Structure formats: C-alpha cells, structure tokens
C-alpha cells in the first residue's frame, strides 16, 4: 500500500509541476506580448500626436508606425481575449480615420505612394486619446486583471460612449 501511495503522490506532483510550468510559460508569453504591443502602440500614439504639428514627422514615419503596429498585433493577437483583440484591431481603423487609406500600404501596395489625408485635429486627438485608453486596459490585463481584457471597448463604441458622456453628437 505504501508504494501505491508514493506512486500516486509522485504522479500528482509531476502533473502539478507540469501545470505550473505551463502557467509560468503562458504568463511569460503574455508579458512579452503586452510589452511588445505597448511599445508599438506608444510609437503609433507618438507619431499621431506629432504628425502635422512637428516638422520632423513625415508620411513615411506614419506608415512605418502603422505597419509596425499591425505586424506586432498580428504576431500576438492569438494570446488576447476576444474583446481586447477587437479593440486593438480597431486602432487600425482609428488610424485610417486620421491618416487615410494610404496607411494600408502594408496590406495593399497600390496605396504605397498615396498621400496621407489632410490633417484633422479632432480625429488626430481622438486617436491619441483612444490609444491611451487601450494602453491602460492592456497594461491592467497584462498585470493579471482579466476584466480589463473583456471590458475594453473598440474604437467606435468607445467614441460613442465618450460622445454621450461629453454631450456631443457622435
């Protein structure tokens, strides 16, 4: 009977240590994904904030930041909760509202030489504000707050809620 108990205890320990190792690996992968996503989002926000306001930001800088964001998102999207993934994908839509179709050159090469749209400070500020909102949720989710990954809004719903809270027309 003692050998059976020892065998069962060993098996339970083996299974538990494997589960802990997998959980540890998953946490490390999530942490790395969050770090890379946040770096790319901050770069995009910085370009959006400075575009048209700082002579040092060129159309190529905008395209590079949007392309980098999209590549990092595609690399890590499978690790994200559905709502977080949708919100992060909607950053691309918000960037399209600000910069125009030419930011899709990484997907549709025919737009590579298309000029960016005329600058609209309202949309530009909305993108900057939305990226800050998403960064906050992404950081909280990465720190283990699972609700932050599911209560984040995509750009359109965020803008509607923001407009309603401010008493604006959307």
């Amino acid at each position: 009977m003692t050998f059976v108990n020892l065998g069962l205890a060993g098996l339970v320990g083996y299974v538990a240590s494997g589960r802990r190792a997998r959980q540890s690996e998953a946490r490390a992968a999530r942490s790395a994904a969050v770090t890379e996503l946040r770096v790319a989002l901050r770069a995009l926000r910085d370009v959006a904030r400075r575009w048209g306001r700082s002579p040092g930001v060129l159309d190529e800088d905008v395209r590079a930041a949007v392309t980098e964001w999209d590549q990092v998102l595609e690399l890590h999207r499978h690790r994200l909760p559905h709502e977080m993934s949708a919100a992060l994908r909607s950053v691309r839509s918000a960037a399209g509202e600000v910069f125009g179709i030419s930011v899709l050159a990484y997907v549709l090469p025919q737009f590579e030489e298309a000029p960016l749209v005329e600058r609209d400070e309202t949309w530009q500020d909305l993108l900057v504000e939305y990226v800050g909102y998403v960064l906050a949720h992404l950081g909280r989710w990465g720190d283990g707050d699972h609700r932050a990954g599911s209560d984040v809004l995509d750009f359109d719903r965020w803008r509607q809620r923001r407009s309603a809270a401010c008493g604006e027309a959307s």
Side-chain angles (χ1 to χ4, degrees):
M1 193 59 105
T2 309
F3 290 117
V4 172
N5 288 339
L6 285 175
L8 285 175
L11 180 62
V12 168
Y14 175 76
V15 170
S17 68
R19 185 174 351 142
R20 281 193 300 273
R22 286 188 302 277
Q23 289 172 339
S24 179
E25 287 173 12
R27 275 192 303 276
R30 181 175 62 212
S31 178
V34 167
T35 298
E36 288 184 35
L37 288 163
R38 292 182 84 189
V39 166
L41 262 179
R42 285 184 181 123
L44 178 60
R45 181 180 61 183
D46 183 55
V47 165
R49 183 180 286 140
R50 295 182 312 120
W51 179 62
R53 296 175 177 147
S54 170
V57 178
L58 306 173
D59 289 4
E60 293 79 30
D61 300 322
V62 170
R63 285 189 187 95
V66 172
T67 300
E68 176 68 14
W69 164 244
D70 190 65
Q71 290 171 345
V72 170
L73 177 59
E74 289 305 310
L75 180 65
H76 296 296
R77 194 171 72 180
H78 67 281
R79 299 188 190 287
L80 304 169
H82 175 73
E83 293 83 358
M84 178 67 72
S85 179
L88 293 175
R89 283 191 319 270
S90 77
V91 168
R92 185 184 317 152
S93 300
E97 292 289 348
V98 174
F99 305 119
I101 191 105
S102 64
V103 298
L104 296 177
Y106 60 89
V107 175
L108 304 167
Q110 66 265 34
F111 294 116
E112 189 170 33
E113 298 301 319
L116 298 183
V117 298
E118 188 173 318
R119 189 168 154 265
D120 182 326
E121 284 187 33
T122 301
W123 282 104
Q124 196 171 354
D125 291 342
L126 282 171
L127 173 60
V128 169
E129 189 178 334
Y130 181 67
V131 169
Y133 163 81
V134 171
L135 277 166
H137 278 271
L138 186 60
R140 288 190 359 247
W141 178 75
D143 289 339
D145 179 355
H146 298 289
R147 274 195 14 239
S150 61
D151 67 1
V152 63
L153 301 173
D154 66 32
F155 180 67
D156 290 331
R157 291 188 307 145
W158 171 84
R159 193 169 50 86
Q160 289 169 351
R161 185 171 290 172
R162 181 189 175 280
S163 294
C166 295
E168 303 170 355
S170 39

